[in-house]
């Protein structure tokens, strides 16, 4: 059994947790509970860093054939109104991520932490979040719509 952090229900050691199990845990938490987790700067950083660290593991190179492209992610709603930024860079069939925004992005995806967690754990779709105004896209919108299909999203089941 995985040790959990306080009342959040999220594993203390995210690096060792199964992605589907983690997605299931996120799916069981209310938006208010997720907001509480993400208001803790240390835990927020751990959760977001782990999501982006694993992005390469979930990348489906066959879906992004021939792409050399950067996507920037801006996760808002941090402590004191802060935001976290990450870059996914796809080249030669490999996705690498970084907190350093070194490449010019083809698209920038911006979302508050709670909708972002719902998106990356399969609890909400990008189109749904975009239409509700909970996800914003800068740059090439058609391209951004295809990006989710390049990743195997954990199902939480």
């Amino acid at each position: 059994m995985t040790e959990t952090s306080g009342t959040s229900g999220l594993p203390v050691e995210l690096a060792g947790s199964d992605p589907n199990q983690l997605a299931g845990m996120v799916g069981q938490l209310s938006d208010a509970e997720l907001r509480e987790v993400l208001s803790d700067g240390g835990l927020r950083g751990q959760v977001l860093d782990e999501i982006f660290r694993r992005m390469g593991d979930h990348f489906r190179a066959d879906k992004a054939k021939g792409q050399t492209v950067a996507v920037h992610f801006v996760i808002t709603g941090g402590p004191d109104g802060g935001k976290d930024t990450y870059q996914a860079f796809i080249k030669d069939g490999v996705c690498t991520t970084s907190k350093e925004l070194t490449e010019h992005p083809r698209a920038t995806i911006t979302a508050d932490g709670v909708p972002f967690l719902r998106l990356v754990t399969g609890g909400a779709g990008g189109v749904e979040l975009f239409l509700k105004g909970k996800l914003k896209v800068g740059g090439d919108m058609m391209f951004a719509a295809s990006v989710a299909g390049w990743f195997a999203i954990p199902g939480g089941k």
Side-chain angles (χ1 to χ4, degrees):
M1 182 147 185
T2 306
E3 184 182 354
T4 59
S5 171
T7 59
S8 74
L10 291 177
V12 169
E13 183 53 54
L14 294 173
S17 63
D18 175 81
N20 289 317
Q21 184 181 34
L22 186 58
M25 286 183 225
V26 168
Q28 292 176 9
L29 296 174
S30 70
D31 285 359
E33 290 169 320
L34 285 175
R35 202 167 290 107
E36 183 179 328
V37 167
L38 294 171
S39 70
D40 175 327
L43 188 54
R44 175 189 172 92
Q46 185 183 3
V47 169
L48 294 176
D49 286 353
E50 189 62 21
I51 286 168
F52 283 96
R53 185 191 69 77
R54 292 181 183 200
M55 201 174 248
D57 297 340
H58 296 279
F59 180 62
R60 299 167 60 186
D62 61 313
K63 302 292 183 181
K65 288 182 180 165
Q67 293 285 338
T68 298
V69 65
V71 180
H72 289 178
F73 294 86
V74 179
I75 316 304
T76 62
D80 299 323
K83 61 184 177 184
D84 296 276
T85 56
Y86 294 85
Q87 173 178 275
F89 185 63
I90 289 91
K91 182 178 181 179
D92 298 329
V94 176
C95 174
T96 57
T97 59
S98 171
K99 291 183 106 170
E100 307 285 324
L101 306 180
T102 59
E103 304 293 329
H104 180 75
R106 184 161 173 192
T108 299
I109 298 170
T110 302
D112 182 69
V114 173
F116 177 74
L117 282 181
R118 297 281 186 224
L119 175 69
V120 299
T121 58
V127 172
E128 169 192 355
L129 293 173
F130 179 80
L131 291 174
K132 290 181 176 180
K134 295 182 178 189
L135 184 134
K136 295 180 177 45
V137 177
D140 186 338
M141 289 182 65
M142 293 301 287
F143 164 77
S146 71
V147 170
W150 296 0
F151 298 90
I153 307 290
K157 294 184 173 53

